[in-house]
Amino acid sequence: MTPKEKSMKKIEETLLQVGLRIAKRGEGALFVVGKVEYTPLIDQSVPVFNANENPKLLESLALIDGAVILDKSGNVNAYGVMIKSTTTLKNFGTRHSAALSAAKNGNLVVIVSEEDKKVRIMKNGKIVMQLDALEKDVEKSVSGAVDLLESVGAGTLGTVGAGLLVPALGIAFLPGIVVFGSAY
């Protein structure tokens, strides 16, 4: 694994862990790793910092209305920003529509739903995984979820719920995780 891949894996793990904490409280958040057009909703007074080094600050900023934008090194470049939705996700709200619009051009998007307490991972305009924050000990499955997604070529994370995936190497059971195929 290259240093860049290790860095991305750590970012994914951090975002999932923070997302699960937010979801358990019944609050929502949106994280975008990559480049996306946005409009700040508030003054950007917190200086750039690395999310892996300060997940508590990341969590606090994520609770502000709007999205958190990170680069592929894990640096938080903006927070409390509005992403223009260019598409909608049927049966979901504006946060999910913004997430779907941001999940293009190789961006990784982690969305936390306050309604159903699930953390969803989007990539290439699709939901690839979902985590259920109410699943017992789901936090213990996060590292395995990241590994699983990398091994099947999804490139990043997915949903947590009860799940079963049969990759080429065998069967992987990860409590609280659901991996979606390209047909989702």
Side-chain angles (χ1 to χ4, degrees):
M1 186 178 283
T2 68
K4 192 174 184 179
E5 290 169 331
K6 285 181 184 176
S7 174
M8 194 62 184
K9 181 178 176 180
K10 179 66 178 151
I11 294 164
E12 292 168 351
E13 288 180 17
T14 298
L15 292 178
L16 288 183
Q17 293 290 356
V18 169
L20 287 169
R21 285 196 301 271
I22 292 169
K24 282 184 180 196
R25 291 197 308 264
E27 299 185 81
L30 175 58
F31 302 99
V32 178
V33 180
K35 296 183 188 277
V36 66
E37 287 187 39
Y38 60 84
T39 304
L41 299 172
I42 61 171
D43 179 41
Q44 302 288 302
S45 58
V46 175
V48 174
F49 68 96
N50 190 281
N52 297 326
E53 295 170 8
N54 199 340
K56 294 275 188 202
L57 180 55
L58 174 67
E59 186 174 341
S60 296
L61 293 175
L63 295 174
I64 297 171
D65 194 25
V68 176
I69 311 298
L70 301 92
D71 65 22
K72 295 189 184 217
S73 298
N75 296 317
V76 174
N77 294 321
Y79 56 92
V81 302
M82 180 177 65
I83 297 171
K84 183 177 180 181
S85 297
T86 56
T87 185
T88 59
L89 189 58
K90 191 174 180 179
N91 299 324
F92 289 93
T94 55
R95 183 179 290 133
H96 281 76
S97 293
L100 185 62
S101 296
K104 297 184 178 171
N105 303 321
N107 291 342
L108 166 72
V109 175
V110 176
I111 183 165
V112 182
S113 174
E114 58 195 272
E115 285 83 18
D116 63 11
K117 295 179 177 49
K118 295 201 178 2
V119 178
R120 294 181 178 88
I121 295 89
M122 295 183 175
K123 182 103 179 186
N124 299 324
K126 294 183 174 106
I127 298 174
V128 295
M129 189 178 275
Q130 175 177 286
L131 295 83
D132 185 346
L134 300 179
E135 180 80 24
K136 185 178 181 194
D137 295 328
V138 69
E139 296 83 3
K140 295 177 183 175
S141 297
V142 167
S143 182
V146 172
D147 290 342
L148 179 63
L149 285 171
E150 297 291 332
S151 72
V152 297
T156 47
L157 312 172
T159 306
V160 180
L164 165 70
L165 179 69
V166 184
L169 302 174
I171 298 173
F173 293 94
L174 293 171
I177 298 177
V178 175
V179 178
F180 296 105
S182 60
Y184 183 81

